Amino acid sequence: PCTPEGPNTRLFSPKITKMMKLAIAALLAGSAAAFAPAPQKASSSALSMGFESELGAQPPLGLFDPLGMLADADQDRFDRLRYVELKHGRICQLAFLGNIITRAGVHLPGDIDYSGTSFDSIGNGWAAISGDNAIPSGGVLQIIAFIGFLEIGVMKDVTGEGEFPGDFRNGYIDFGWDSFSEETKLQKRAIELNNGRAAQMGILGLMVHEQLGGSIPLVGEM
């Protein structure tokens, strides 16, 4: 539970809130645009490194590097970009799913703080961060601290046993992965990559429509 603060406690001023909105939108747009599937088009230097055969450069779309991020890149550079793309995709899948679930009226039971602010009274989308029905400031700080803990000590290749960028099993979580054939492993990794790309565009679309207002299918009123 959060610190005993009322539902009207606010952490951010309107000016800071606007800046945060613009920053988040820019980051998501840049991430999605850099790696989103598109007709095959790559620099000669990227092709010479053999990146056109990497996972994610899938037919009939192929490799796409409009910003030249792979120009003169080595394998370590590519792996770093793939790691970032996977992490952004995973975060956006959680964000998109969380957004449509709460908009469907599904909430945790009980209260978010000791003052009686119920989970179902919290706003949807950006309204959960800033507005009359936002999460109390203590709750926002707890969320940021928890994400920082995951980033620093959990969601990374802690043991050095990772077989590929984004492999965070750390010799503990497996779910039968080692029992799959190499072909099945590549297929599942490709599915995750494409789902992450779609989710980056999806959550960006929800953020834009939230500011525009109106309603969209399956999600409802924004």
Side-chain angles (χ1 to χ4, degrees):
C2 303
T3 55
E5 300 179 55
N8 293 323
T9 304
R10 298 292 163 260
L11 183 62
F12 305 110
S13 67
K15 182 177 180 181
I16 294 177
T17 296
K18 184 176 181 181
M19 293 174 63
M20 290 177 66
K21 289 181 182 179
L22 293 174
I24 292 172
L27 286 172
L28 284 173
S31 173
F35 290 97
Q40 183 169 346
K41 179 181 179 182
S43 65
S44 58
S45 59
L47 292 174
S48 66
M49 289 296 297
F51 296 135
E52 76 280 2
S53 62
E54 289 282 353
L55 184 73
Q58 300 165 178
L61 303 175
L63 184 69
F64 184 53
D65 182 26
L67 301 181
M69 299 179 72
L70 294 177
D72 301 320
D74 56 14
Q75 189 63 45
D76 288 341
R77 169 67 173 169
F78 179 89
D79 289 345
R80 171 60 184 170
L81 292 174
R82 173 52 47 81
Y83 169 88
V84 172
E85 179 186 17
L86 278 168
K87 180 172 284 190
H88 287 177
R90 290 168 177 173
I91 292 171
C92 288
Q93 288 178 72
L94 292 172
F96 184 85
L97 186 61
N99 206 307
I100 62 175
I101 285 179
T102 55
R103 289 185 185 278
V106 180
H107 302 274
L108 292 172
D111 300 330
I112 195 173
D113 61 15
Y114 291 123
S115 64
T117 305
S118 62
F119 283 103
D120 60 10
S121 69
I122 301 299
N124 298 315
W126 186 256
I129 302 298
S130 177
D132 294 336
N133 298 315
I135 299 172
S137 58
V140 175
L141 293 175
Q142 288 181 43
I143 291 172
I144 294 174
F146 180 65
I147 293 173
F149 166 73
L150 292 178
E151 178 74 15
I152 294 173
V154 179
M155 303 307 293
K156 58 192 296 186
D157 184 13
V158 179
T159 63
E161 301 176 80
E163 298 177 3
F164 48 85
D167 182 0
F168 300 154
R169 290 177 294 158
N170 293 313
Y172 176 66
I173 301 175
D174 186 75
F175 297 114
W177 179 262
D178 290 333
S179 65
F180 298 144
S181 66
E182 291 303 315
E183 181 180 0
T184 301
K185 288 180 179 179
L186 285 174
Q187 180 186 35
K188 290 184 176 296
R189 288 175 58 198
I191 290 172
E192 180 193 21
L193 191 60
N194 283 337
N195 285 349
R197 289 168 171 174
Q200 289 178 68
M201 300 305 295
I203 191 62
L204 180 60
L206 286 179
M207 292 168 65
V208 171
H209 277 284
E210 185 175 31
Q211 299 306 309
L212 295 176
S215 63
I216 54 178
L218 300 180
V219 179
E221 291 294 326
M222 300 297 290

